[in-house]
Amino acid sequence: MDELKSVIRDIPDFPKKGILFRDITTLLKDAKSFHRAVDYIAHRYIDKNIKYVIGIEARGFILGSALAYKLNKGIVLVRKPGKLPSDTIKVTYDLEYGQDSLEIHKDALEEGDRVIICDDVLATGGTVKATIELVEKLKADIFECVFLAELSALGGRERLKNYNIFSLLQY
Ligand code: AMP
C-alpha cells in the first residue's frame, strides 16, 4: 500500500487555498500501480454476487469501469445534471459553498439489485451520500461503497456509518 501511496501526488492549495488535493492521475498513469489497485479491490468482490458497479462522475468512472470489467459486471453511471439522455431521477446536495445535483436513469436499477458504489476519493462523503440516495430511491441493495483513497480527517466514514465502506488507501 505504501508503494501505491507513493504514486499519488499531493497538490497543496488546489482547487482553492487550504485544500490538500490527492492527485490520482499519477497512479492511473503508472500501469503497474493501476493494475495492482484494480486487482486488489476487485478481489474483494469476486463471489459476492454483485450485479452492477455504480460509477460517480467523473473520476468514479475510471476506477468503476476498470472494476466492472474485471468483475465481468456492467457499470451504471451517476452523472451531473443534464448529461443522461433518458428519464432520470435527481438528488440535490449541499457543498461547502452552494449546492450540486446528481442524476441516474430511472430504469438503470431494479429492486434488490446488489451493487457497489465507486468513487476515487472519499472526502466529506457528501457525493457518495447523494449517490446512495439515488440508488435507494430505485430500491437497489448497496453492498459496499469503495474508494481508492479516504481522507479520514474529513469524516466521510462517520457520515456513512450505516453502510459498508472500503478504501484501499487511508490518509
Ligand atoms: P466529498 O463529497 O466531500 O466526499 O468529495 C468527494 C469528491 O470530491 C470525490 O469525488 C473526489 O474526487 C473529490 N475530492 C474532494 N476532496 C478531495 C481531495 N482533497 N483530493 C482529491 N479529491 C478530492
Side-chain angles (χ1 to χ4, degrees), residues 8 16 26 37-38 50 55 58 76 81 114 120 128 141-142 148 154 161 165 168:
I8 291 184
K16 54 185 178 224
T26 37
V38 172
I50 300 301
V76 168
R114 195 163 146 102
D120 63 336
V128 71
D141 174 20
I142 298 164
L148 259 183
L154 297 181
K161 58 177 178 300
I165 304 295
L168 188 61

Side-chain angles (χ1 to χ4, degrees), residues 19-23 59 93 119-128 151 154:
I19 306 268
L20 180 61
F21 195 84
R22 307 291 182 175
D23 177 18
R59 277 163 297 193
Y93 61 103
D119 204 356
D120 63 336
V121 172
L122 173 63
T124 65
T127 310
V128 71
L151 313 181
L154 297 181

Side-chain angles (χ1 to χ4, degrees), residues 33-109:
S33 302
F34 186 30
H35 210 262
R36 204 179 266 174
V38 172
D39 280 1
Y40 191 95
I41 295 174
H43 192 256
R44 189 175 168 84
Y45 303 109
I46 286 170
D47 300 332
K48 290 292 189 293
N49 204 19
I50 300 301
K51 189 157 181 198
Y52 300 111
V53 177
I54 311 279
I56 307 176
E57 186 165 358
R59 277 163 297 193
F61 292 172
I62 301 166
L63 177 63
S65 49
L67 267 182
Y69 185 84
K70 183 86 192 170
L71 291 167
N72 201 19
K73 306 295 173 191
I75 180 164
V76 168
L77 306 185
V78 166
R79 297 209 64 182
K80 306 272 167 63
K83 302 279 188 185
L84 290 170
S86 189
D87 290 346
T88 57
I89 54 167
K90 173 152 81 172
V91 158
T92 299
Y93 61 103
D94 290 329
L95 298 172
E96 200 177 344
Y97 303 108
Q99 290 191 319
D100 214 342
S101 300
L102 287 171
E103 294 183 343
I104 192 169
H105 274 144
K106 266 183 187 162
D107 61 358
L109 299 170

